Amino acid sequence: MTARAGTRDPGLQPERTRLAWRRTLLTLTAVLLLQLRPAFTGRVVDAALAGAAVVVWLTVLLADWRRATGAGPRRLTRWSVPLTALGAAGLALLGVAHVLGGVH
């Protein structure tokens, strides 16, 4: 049986959201691993960037876990999305800098 136009499957949106959080976490994991390698060079800047990357990664991991298990609040605070976006964008820029060779 096919779905009619205009009908929605209530199970699809949460699944898409869950998959989007997992993709974000996978990308952030790759950037984190790239950042951890130079953190052990002894430079304070590299260690600070690695620490920030770990904090953002743990925050997204916790948010993903809470959404997946239903342990978190159903409504986000007004700062949740902007802070997550800012952290993800910062780590994305850090990843681009690694790829381009700007951060060592």
Side-chain angles (χ1 to χ4, degrees):
M1 182 173 180
T2 60
R4 292 187 211 183
T7 61
R8 297 184 61 180
D9 183 355
L12 291 180
Q13 182 61 41
E15 181 67 18
R16 284 193 297 266
T17 302
R18 196 167 26 257
L19 290 172
W21 275 96
R22 297 285 160 85
R23 283 191 305 271
T24 301
L25 188 60
L26 180 63
T27 303
L28 292 177
T29 302
V31 173
L32 174 66
L33 291 174
L34 285 171
Q35 184 57 41
L36 285 178
R37 193 177 91 197
F40 297 104
T41 61
R43 290 181 39 196
V44 175
V45 173
D46 289 333
L49 287 173
V54 168
V55 168
V56 171
W57 183 81
L58 286 173
T59 303
V60 173
L61 178 67
L62 178 65
D64 180 36
W65 175 79
R66 291 181 75 158
R67 288 177 71 69
T69 61
R74 287 292 172 215
R75 296 190 73 200
L76 297 173
T77 66
R78 70 182 196 149
W79 295 105
S80 298
V81 173
L83 287 177
T84 302
L86 183 64
L91 286 181
L93 289 174
L94 190 59
V96 169
H98 273 293
V99 170
L100 298 177
V103 176
H104 296 288

